[in-house]
Amino acid sequence: MTVKTVFRFFTSVLLAGCALLPFVAVHSPAASAQDSGWSSPAMISDPGNLAWQPEILAGSDGIVRALWLEGIDNNNRPESAAIYFSELVGENWTRPIDVIATKSGRNIAYFSSALDSQGNVFILWCGDGEFHISRNHVLTAGNAQYWQELMTLGYRCISRPKVLVDGNDRVHVAYVLEVNDVSEVLYMHSTDGGQTWSEPVALPEYEKDGLDPAELDMVVDDKGTLHIVVELADLSEGGWPGQGIYYAKSSDEGRSWSPPLLIDDIDSGEYRDGYGPFVPTLATAFSDEVHIVWYGSPRGERHHVYSLDAGDTWSANQQISTFRGMTWHNLMVTDSIGNVHLASGTIDDVIMYMVWQRDQWSEPTLISPQQLGPHYPSLGISSGNVLHLLFSGAKGTANGRIFHVSRGIGAAAILPTDYKTYQRAQFPEVRQYESIARPTHGSVNLKSRLPKVDIEKRDSIPPLPALLISVFMATVVVLAIVLTVVRRRTPWQL
C-alpha cells in the first residue's frame, strides 16, 4: 500500500466521521450515567431513620440547602416525622438536624418550601391535621429555635401544598383543605414577608360529581401571572387513580382565577384499567412559556403540554417517555437560558433525566444505574450552571434514604452574593383563619379541548451546542478537502 493510498484512506474516514458527527453528538440515545456527567448518588439523610419528600433551596449565595421529612424507623413505618435541614458545604453535607416538628409528636404529613431574595425561608406544612406557615432565614435555618410560626390554617389538610416567592418577594400559597366533607383549593399571599396575609380565596369549583381536588402545583412567571394545575380524584376510594387534570391562572395576584381548563381526563379512552392522570407539575420559562408534565396514558408514562402565551392556548397532549412508574411529584426547574429540566423515577427503580430545549424534549438519559427506587425527585440550580437533584430511595437498603447527585449544565455562571446579617423579625401572635372566601363563578365547560400552539411563533435558531458542532464539522470538512487537493498538486515526499 502506497503512502498516497494511506493518505486518501484516512481522509475518507475523516469525512465519513464528520458526516456522522451530528447524529452522535445531538441525537444519541440514552447513555450511561458516567457519560451523562452526573455525580454518583451520595446519601445525605440519617441511615437509621426513614426519610422522604426532599426539596432543594438554592440561594443567591451559591450554597445548596435541603429540607425533607424524616422519622424514626418503626418496622419500616415512620414515627414522629419532622422536617430536617442540611446544607452542602464544599463537597460535604452537614449533619441533618430536625428543625420543625408537631406539638403532639405525630408525623408531619406534607410540606412545601420557598426562598426569597433576602434569604428568608418559608415552609407551608401539614401537622396535627392543619396547615401551618413558618419562617426563618437561611443563615439560621439549622437552628430550630429560630423558626417562627406565622399562621395556622384550620380544617383538615389532605395533600401536598405549594408555597412560592415571585420576583418582587411576594409569598404565594395554595393548598387543598377539606371543609364539611368537601375539598377546595384555596389561595392566599403576603406582601410583607409573612407578617400579614390576604384572606383565603377559593378557586372555581370543579363540576364533576363525586370528585375532589387531590394534588396541585403552582408557579409564577416573570410577569407575575400565577398558574395552577389540580388533579381531581375520588377521595372516598383513596384518591387512586386520578380522574382529571385542570389548569387555571390569575393575572391579578390571585384575587380572581380563570375557569378551569381540562388538560387530561381518565375518560379519554387512552388509559388502561386502573390508571388515570396523576400528579401534575408546572414550570415556566421566560415570560409567557408554561409547561405541564404529569403521569399520563396508558400506564403512567410522562405526558406534556405547553403554552407560549401564558396559558391562553395550549399544545396538543404529547407522550414524552416510554418509561413509566408512579414516583410522585417530579419537581422541574428552569435555568437562566430557558431550558426546563426534568428528573423522574421509573418502574425499573432507576431515575431518568430530560431537558426541554427550544421546542422539544431531549432523549431520556440514565442518571444512575443503581436501582435505588427513586421517588420524589426535586431539582435546583446553584451558581447558575450546576444542576442538583435530590430524591428518596424506596428499594432495599436505599429505602427511606435521601440521595444527592449533581452535574454541570450549559448555562452562564452567576457570581454568588452574600446575604445580609440576619436580624430575627418580631411577628404578632400566630393568626388562625376560620372563614373562607367563597366567590361565585359561572358554569364551566370542563370538556373543552386544547387548541394547538402555533409552532411558527417559536424562535427557529438552533440550540447553541448544535450550532457549534455544525461550525466545527464544516471547518473540518473544508480542511480535509483542501489537504486532498494540495496533496494532488504538491510533490510532497511522505
Side-chain angles (χ1 to χ4, degrees):
M1 181 180 293
T2 65
V3 174
K4 181 185 296 186
T5 303
V6 173
F7 179 83
R8 289 178 176 174
F9 172 79
F10 281 107
T11 301
S12 301
V13 171
L14 178 61
L15 291 172
C18 290
L20 293 174
L21 181 59
F23 300 95
V24 175
V26 180
H27 302 289
S28 66
S32 67
Q34 183 177 3
D35 295 336
S36 67
W38 290 93
S39 63
S40 298
M43 185 175 63
I44 67 173
S45 60
D46 187 338
N49 292 335
L50 293 177
W52 70 102
Q53 198 192 125
E55 289 197 6
I56 290 179
L57 295 173
S60 61
D61 60 353
I63 298 177
V64 177
R65 298 166 177 93
L67 297 163
W68 63 83
L69 295 177
E70 185 172 316
I72 299 171
D73 185 354
N74 182 6
N75 293 323
N76 209 30
R77 296 178 63 88
E79 289 186 354
S80 303
I83 296 176
Y84 274 65
F85 171 86
S86 179
E87 64 181 14
L88 182 60
V89 179
E91 297 181 355
N92 299 307
W93 287 86
T94 59
R95 178 179 174 272
I97 185 170
D98 52 323
V99 293
I100 296 179
T102 61
K103 295 179 180 179
S104 67
R106 292 196 290 265
N107 290 339
I108 292 179
Y110 318 100
F111 82 96
S112 174
S113 60
L115 184 65
D116 71 12
S117 65
Q118 305 302 312
N120 297 306
V121 183
F122 299 89
I123 297 183
L124 176 59
W125 54 282
C126 179
D128 290 334
E130 297 180 327
F131 278 123
H132 310 261
I133 303 176
S134 297
R135 172 184 141 156
N136 201 342
H137 193 274
V138 291
L139 300 182
T140 55
N143 188 334
Q145 296 181 349
Y146 275 79
W147 283 94
Q148 298 172 286
E149 188 171 323
L150 308 180
M151 184 183 303
T152 298
L153 306 171
Y155 309 106
R156 177 173 172 253
C157 49
I158 61 174
S159 66
R160 189 175 185 175
K162 183 71 175 190
V163 59
L164 58 86
V165 179
D166 65 24
N168 295 314
D169 278 348
R170 289 186 294 260
V171 186
H172 307 266
V173 299
Y175 48 96
V176 179
L177 287 185
E178 186 178 68
V179 183
N180 298 326
D181 295 326
V182 176
S183 296
E184 291 190 286
V185 179
L186 302 178
Y187 164 85
M188 57 195 300
H189 69 267
S190 173
T191 60
D192 54 12
Q195 296 188 58
T196 60
W197 293 84
S198 66
E199 291 292 330
V201 174
L203 269 67
E205 296 182 359
Y206 304 88
E207 299 175 3
K208 206 167 184 182
D209 294 340
L211 302 180
D212 291 301
E215 302 289 342
L216 64 79
D217 194 22
M218 180 175 64
V219 294
V220 60
D221 63 29
D222 292 346
K223 294 180 179 179
T225 301
L226 292 161
H227 307 267
I228 193 167
V229 285
V230 177
E231 173 207 328
L232 293 191
D234 185 354
L235 299 181
S236 65
E237 298 294 329
W240 174 261
Q243 301 293 310
I245 290 176
Y246 298 86
Y247 163 85
K249 73 173 186 175
S250 172
S251 301
D252 57 5
E253 298 182 350
R255 287 185 289 271
S256 63
W257 293 82
S258 65
L261 173 68
L262 179 65
I263 299 296
D264 194 14
D265 193 345
I266 194 173
D267 297 327
S268 63
E270 302 292 332
Y271 284 91
R272 299 277 186 89
D273 290 343
Y275 291 88
F278 186 58
V279 187
T281 53
L282 278 162
T284 61
F286 307 113
S287 297
D288 298 317
E289 191 170 309
V290 188
H291 298 266
I292 305 175
V293 172
W294 70 98
Y295 299 97
S297 61
R299 297 183 298 168
E301 289 80 2
R302 307 307 179 262
H303 279 241
H304 170 248
V305 296
Y306 66 94
S307 171
L308 301 179
D309 51 17
D312 289 336
T313 61
W314 290 86
S315 69
N317 179 350
Q318 179 186 11
Q319 180 179 329
I320 61 173
S321 81
T322 55
F323 64 81
R324 65 186 185 91
M326 309 295 193
T327 56
W328 293 95
H329 306 79
N330 301 282
L331 300 184
M332 297 178 284
V333 67
T334 305
D335 63 30
S336 60
I337 57 177
N339 296 330
V340 179
H341 302 265
L342 168 67
S344 193
T346 76
I347 198 171
D348 299 318
D349 295 319
V350 296
I351 191 162
M352 306 297 289
Y353 166 72
M354 304 171 66
V355 58
W356 171 269
Q357 294 177 308
R358 299 289 180 175
D359 60 354
Q360 64 182 354
W361 288 97
S362 66
E363 289 291 332
T365 57
L366 188 64
I367 291 179
S368 172
Q370 299 182 48
Q371 293 183 308
L372 303 175
H375 283 61
Y376 296 103
S378 177
L379 288 165
I381 297 174
S382 67
S383 303
N385 61 358
V386 181
L387 182 62
H388 298 266
L389 167 65
L390 296 178
F391 61 89
S392 55
K395 183 178 181 181
T397 58
N399 183 48
R401 315 288 187 260
I402 304 297
F403 294 88
H404 168 254
V405 294
S406 63
R407 59 164 293 173
I409 56 176
I414 299 175
L415 294 177
T417 57
D418 292 335
Y419 291 118
K420 297 179 180 179
T421 303
Y422 173 61
Q423 298 293 330
R424 187 178 185 187
Q426 296 298 320
F427 291 99
E429 293 183 1
V430 175
R431 182 181 178 187
Q432 182 164 359
Y433 279 116
E434 296 180 353
S435 62
I436 298 175
R438 298 177 186 275
T440 58
H441 301 276
S443 61
V444 177
N445 178 16
L446 295 184
K447 292 295 183 181
S448 56
R449 294 294 95 190
L450 300 178
K452 189 172 183 178
V453 168
D454 183 4
I455 301 297
E456 297 299 326
K457 294 170 60 178
R458 301 196 66 89
D459 189 348
S460 61
I461 299 176
L464 181 58
L467 182 62
L468 291 177
I469 290 171
S470 299
V471 172
F472 170 77
M473 180 185 67
T475 302
V476 173
V477 171
V478 170
L479 288 176
I481 294 173
V482 170
L483 287 175
T484 302
V485 173
V486 172
R487 174 66 186 88
R488 290 176 178 176
R489 296 183 179 181
T490 305
W492 290 342
Q493 298 298 321
L494 299 179

